[in-house]
Amino acid sequence: MFDNYFRKDIPWGGQILTLETGKIARQADGAVMARLGDTIVLCTVVGSRSVKPGQDFFPLTVNYQEKAFAAGKIPGGFFKREGRPSESETLISRLIDRPIRPLFPEGFRNEVQVIATVLSHDLENDPDMVALVGCSAALTLSGIPFFGPVGGARVGFIDGQFVLNPTAAQRKLSKLDLVIAGTAEGVLMVESEAHELSEDDMLAALEFGHKGFQPVIEGIIALAEVAAKEPWDLAEADPAMAALKARIAELGTAQMAEAYKITDKQARQKAVSEAKKAVMAALESEGANTDAAKGMMKALEADVVRGAILDTGIRIDGRDTKTVRPIVAEVGVLPRAHGSALFTRGETQALCVATLGTGQDEQVIDALAGEYRENFMLHYNFPPYSVGETGRMGSPGRREIGHGKLAWRAMHPVLPEKEKFPYTMRIVSEITESNGSSSMATVCGTSLALMDAGCPLARPVAGIAMGLIKEDRGFAVLSDILGDEDHLGDMDFKVAGTEAGITSLQMDIKITSITFDIMKTALAQAKDGRIHILGEMAKAITGARTEMAATAPRITIINVPKDKIREVIGTGGKVIREIVEQTGTKIDIEDDGTIKIASSNPEATQAAIDRIKGITAEAEIGAIYNGKVVKTAEFGAFVNFLGAKDGLVHISELANERVNRTTDIVKEGDAVKVKVIGFDDRGKVKLSMRVVDQATGADITEQVGERRPREGGEGEDRPRREGRDRGPRRERD
């Protein structure tokens, strides 16, 4: 039945990667079941055979989706089925999209949809790399025009050694989490988080990863030799289109070159728009194909900008290739925020705001590998006004999620441990202006805002975006790229880190690949730019503030014995709820007996501490406590003196004189001062009022003398004898 079934086993990183095709999803143009360990991902590709009229872009869609059954789980929530993509699914969709997009032919406009579905997850081998390889294989087998295959791998750095495709357990020990993808010739995409690694170590990791996925590329090619479908026929180049492109260059090059000499962004955009209109008007008067001409105008812009940079070394805004735009860093710009910063670099500006919370504010993430809590959140927003446009406002898109995660990775390695800074941290980055690398402005602003909030970072972090212009006659690496240089260039290379090393690296290539020599140049140039930016940031703040904002919660940590946790919580949480409601604090209790009390009011914090210590503390012989009479009896009074603890003040310990009735001295509800004088055989606390000055709480034992214990002992179970004269004997006359 499965006549076209093929399978390829590929040794990869000490395991076997299996690629199967021809058995499942046979109506797709390409379908591959990729397996590593017990992690299995079904990858499918379908392409439209025709182009929609008027389509002037390549409509590629990549969807990565995780099914709960893959890990033996039932989805949470009311509907009990998978819903909108999680943040992780969105990020992995981008991870697959970025290396495959540059490998479709220029001018290809057919719609292509790539879907990767996780069917099984062994909780050791991450499905993201399996999905990337499977999608590359499916595209290679589909017959759709694709200049692949693409390989990919994850690289770890443990005990000074690089590890290919580390398991989940190994990743916890690694100082590097790097994902790399590319072709046999070079690298196309990099995504990483690192613990301040040097530029040399990062370059070595890239080379290690590139070498590590070569067996995958060779395996996909071997599978394609027996299982690939016939390639699609591509339309031959139309000589008329080549003539039209030449005519556009003839009409518009000079005016476009003059427009790109204007350094101000808005004025430059206006001049570029006027140049385009002039070219289109001339073409229309000549009866040319104006629809096709619209798509060729970007090529004219690219030729003008790229040529000027390679020929003169001078960029759109007048800078050379290494200069960073002017920077202004400010902190404390919002009076009620716990921490805030405004970072401006040229025409890019990020307003970053830090908010501190408690453990109750942590984000609970229900991932396929299991539920976990996150105490650091970074949310990036890109409103349309930041580029002077109107646009849709709503939930964040893939770009916002991706840029926010990049900044999160850059900051995560330098955050303090929870034991040293037990706060939940949320950063919101509002991009108020944008002309190149707002994600790196977010990194800088986040670092400043956290320090302004009093968060003790290991070191400040800065980020810079690098660009590339590469032609046959040479290349130029650009520091701190503008938006136009990003759109018209060949590379978006973002590096973030401290003065000690790199914390995050992201790279996307728009050409087939770049060499390691180019990457080495870009890393060295990025380091110089990063150090410069850190110096500009230091003019605003150099380290965490010692005093937190008045509006920020103060978290006080106390520890109680584990066997006392139940008493602090109370039945059904009654006790802890009462403490929270009565003191106005937030309280988190951990299984090891650690209790975190948060409040911006020191008095409220102390009240909560006193309540908790009262519940968990043990009575000490000789100690004096404030108490409250909760019950009276013939033989004495029961006093609540230490949280929920009660003790007995025997009638003989109520006062120094003879007491006939307990109620002659105390009544229920009276506030008294008592001293612990011992414990009975059952561990009950014995108290005394007579040896404590009820006005001052002073111990007056020496003044009144120690009383000899009553014959027969004391206790509530010893009845008094009626009619017995307990007073002192009167001497005979």
Side-chain angles (χ1 to χ4, degrees):
M1 183 175 180
F2 303 116
D3 296 333
N4 293 317
Y5 172 78
F6 298 95
R7 168 175 172 159
K8 180 66 178 179
D9 292 334
I10 306 167
W12 189 36
Q15 300 191 73
I16 298 297
L17 171 69
T18 300
L19 302 177
E20 296 180 346
T21 188
K23 185 176 183 180
I24 295 179
R26 291 174 293 167
Q27 296 187 45
D29 288 319
V32 170
M33 188 83 79
R35 176 171 183 165
L36 187 68
D38 283 339
T39 294
I40 302 174
V41 184
L42 173 63
C43 304
T44 63
V45 176
V46 174
S48 174
R49 291 284 178 170
S50 60
V51 181
K52 292 180 180 179
Q55 184 106 312
D56 61 353
F57 66 95
F58 173 40
L60 170 66
T61 305
V62 177
N63 293 104
Y64 167 89
Q65 54 186 359
E66 296 175 341
K67 299 299 182 180
F69 61 72
K73 298 171 62 177
I74 294 176
F78 182 78
F79 293 103
K80 296 299 178 187
R81 69 175 297 164
E82 292 81 3
R84 68 178 186 179
S86 66
E87 182 177 290
S88 174
E89 289 172 308
T90 299
L91 292 169
I92 295 173
S93 295
R94 283 170 51 88
L95 201 70
I96 299 170
D97 182 300
R98 286 155 51 195
I100 66 174
R101 186 175 291 271
L103 298 182
F104 289 89
E106 183 179 356
F108 186 66
R109 298 290 184 263
N110 300 59
E111 183 174 3
V112 175
Q113 185 177 43
V114 178
I115 300 175
T117 307
V118 181
L119 303 180
S120 177
H121 187 6
D122 61 11
L123 308 184
E124 280 295 319
N125 297 290
D126 285 324
D128 54 359
M129 285 298 93
V130 181
L132 173 60
V133 169
C135 291
S136 170
L139 278 166
T140 304
L141 300 182
S142 68
I144 296 172
F146 177 66
F147 301 141
V150 168
R154 172 171 270 106
V155 178
F157 190 59
I158 304 173
D159 296 331
Q161 299 294 323
F162 293 116
V163 179
L164 187 68
N165 294 333
T167 64
Q170 289 176 314
R171 287 174 66 182
K172 294 178 181 179
L173 307 173
S174 179
K175 296 179 65 177
L176 172 69
D177 183 13
L178 181 143
V179 171
I180 180 172
T183 63
E185 291 76 27
V187 178
L188 285 166
M189 184 274 297
V190 178
E191 188 83 56
S192 69
E193 177 185 332
H195 289 262
E196 298 181 294
L197 293 188
S198 68
E199 280 71 18
D200 288 342
D201 284 339
M202 289 298 293
L203 188 63
L206 293 173
E207 293 176 334
F208 178 84
H210 183 257
K211 182 179 179 181
F213 63 65
Q214 294 309 308
V216 173
I217 291 178
E218 294 169 3
I220 294 174
I221 292 173
L223 180 63
E225 289 174 349
V226 295
K229 296 181 179 179
E230 288 297 320
W232 290 14
D233 293 328
L234 286 176
E236 295 183 3
D238 186 350
M241 292 298 101
L244 178 60
K245 184 177 180 180
R247 180 57 178 158
I248 290 172
E250 181 182 350
L251 291 170
T253 299
Q255 189 173 352
M256 193 70 74
E258 288 299 316
Y260 271 105
K261 290 179 181 179
I262 301 173
T263 57
D264 179 73
K265 177 184 176 183
Q266 293 183 338
R268 180 172 63 251
Q269 288 179 334
K270 182 179 179 181
V272 168
S273 178
E274 290 174 352
K276 289 180 179 179
K277 289 178 182 178
V279 172
M280 295 303 295
L283 292 174
E284 189 173 355
S285 65
E286 296 174 2
N289 185 343
T290 54
D291 288 336
K294 290 178 182 179
M296 296 180 182
M297 292 302 298
K298 184 176 180 181
L300 173 62
E301 290 184 73
D303 290 342
V304 168
V305 172
R306 295 161 65 91
I309 292 173
L310 289 176
D311 292 339
T312 67
I314 303 301
R315 297 156 64 181
I316 297 172
D317 58 357
R319 288 180 292 150
D320 61 24
T321 58
K322 297 182 179 180
T323 301
V324 177
R325 289 172 288 175
I327 291 172
V328 178
E330 305 169 65
V331 295
V333 295
L334 300 180
R336 297 291 295 177
H338 299 163
S340 59
L342 184 66
F343 180 84
T344 307
R345 184 188 60 239
E347 295 167 310
T348 296
Q349 186 178 76
L351 175 63
C352 297
V353 186
T355 306
L356 304 179
T358 68
Q360 297 175 21
D361 299 309
E362 290 181 342
Q363 184 178 14
V364 180
I365 299 174
D366 185 16
L368 198 61
E371 184 179 287
Y372 66 95
R373 304 176 73 90
E374 183 56 65
N375 75 324
F376 176 55
M377 295 162 279
L378 198 156
H379 298 145
Y380 166 102
N381 297 315
F382 191 87
Y385 67 76
S386 65
V387 288
E389 298 177 357
T390 60
R392 181 187 67 87
M393 293 289 289
S395 57
R398 287 188 174 190
R399 181 181 183 276
E400 283 78 11
I401 292 173
H403 278 35
K405 190 63 176 181
L406 172 59
W408 184 96
R409 290 192 182 100
M411 296 303 306
H412 189 246
V414 301
L415 295 177
E417 297 177 357
K418 289 179 66 174
E419 292 74 18
K420 296 180 179 178
F421 194 72
Y423 290 89
T424 296
M425 296 161 282
R426 182 191 183 222
I427 292 288
V428 176
S429 174
E430 297 287 340
I431 303 304
T432 52
E433 293 182 36
S434 181
N435 186 13
S437 191
S438 55
S439 62
M440 294 296 96
T442 294
V443 171
C444 300
T446 295
S447 181
L448 294 168
L450 284 173
M451 289 189 290
D452 186 49
C455 176
L457 301 178
R459 273 169 289 276
V461 180
I464 186 170
M466 312 297 292
L468 174 69
I469 303 296
K470 183 175 181 289
E471 299 286 355
D472 293 340
R473 56 195 174 102
F475 72 90
V477 175
L478 313 179
S479 294
D480 181 25
I481 56 174
L482 301 173
D484 288 335
E485 291 170 339
D486 184 6
H487 301 149
L488 304 176
D490 298 320
M491 176 181 74
D492 185 8
F493 189 88
K494 294 170 180 155
V495 186
T498 68
E499 60 181 9
I502 296 172
T503 57
S504 183
L505 174 67
Q506 184 185 83
M507 183 178 71
D508 291 303
I509 303 299
K510 301 172 188 177
I511 53 180
T512 53
S513 65
I514 63 170
T515 65
F516 287 103
D517 286 338
I518 293 177
M519 282 191 281
K520 184 176 182 179
T521 301
L523 282 170
Q525 199 165 312
K527 181 179 180 180
D528 293 339
R530 184 175 81 244
I531 298 302
H532 167 74
I533 295 170
L534 285 169
E536 295 299 305
M537 291 166 55
K539 295 177 181 179
I541 191 171
T542 57
R545 295 193 187 279
T546 55
E547 290 293 327
M548 299 174 67
T551 54
R554 269 68 171 175
I555 296 181
T556 304
I557 300 177
I558 62 174
N559 292 281
V560 301
K562 291 183 181 180
D563 57 357
K564 298 292 183 181
I565 294 176
R566 175 180 290 182
E567 297 178 29
V568 176
I569 296 174
T571 305
K574 178 182 178 182
V575 174
I576 196 65
R577 279 199 305 270
E578 287 180 354
I579 297 175
V580 169
E581 291 170 1
Q582 293 172 10
T583 63
T585 59
K586 288 185 177 181
I587 301 177
D588 295 323
I589 302 177
E590 299 178 6
D591 294 340
D592 63 355
T594 300
I595 299 180
K596 299 174 183 176
I597 304 166
S599 174
S600 57
N601 184 346
E603 295 179 357
T605 299
Q606 190 58 49
I609 291 173
D610 292 342
R611 291 284 300 273
I612 294 171
K613 286 186 174 180
I615 295 171
T616 60
E618 298 289 346
E620 298 179 15
I621 294 179
I624 295 174
Y625 299 94
N626 292 318
K628 180 180 179 181
V629 178
V630 293
K631 182 181 179 182
T632 60
E634 286 186 5
F635 48 81
F638 289 95
V639 176
N640 176 233
F641 71 99
L642 190 61
K645 292 182 176 61
D646 293 342
L648 173 65
V649 180
H650 193 272
I651 193 169
S652 63
E653 293 292 338
L654 288 172
N656 287 306
E657 65 274 6
R658 178 174 175 269
V659 178
N660 291 324
R661 289 193 299 251
T662 301
T663 53
D664 291 342
I665 305 299
V666 293
K667 296 180 176 61
E668 289 186 15
D670 285 354
V672 297
K673 293 179 174 61
V674 294
K675 178 180 179 179
V676 178
I677 58 175
F679 303 91
D680 65 15
D681 295 340
R682 293 177 296 173
K684 302 285 187 179
V685 181
K686 298 194 295 184
L687 303 173
S688 174
M689 286 175 52
R690 74 180 187 87
V691 296
V692 182
D693 186 322
Q694 294 300 306
T696 65
D699 190 339
I700 56 174
T701 302
E702 295 182 359
Q703 299 177 30
V704 301
E706 293 289 354
R707 178 173 291 173
R708 186 178 64 186
R710 296 174 56 84
E711 184 178 350
E714 303 172 345
E716 59 185 281
D717 54 353
R718 178 177 173 81
R720 288 183 62 181
R721 294 184 181 179
E722 295 295 337
R724 179 178 178 181
D725 182 6
R726 293 176 181 269
R729 295 183 179 180
R730 289 181 293 177
E731 295 184 4
R732 298 178 183 272
D733 293 337

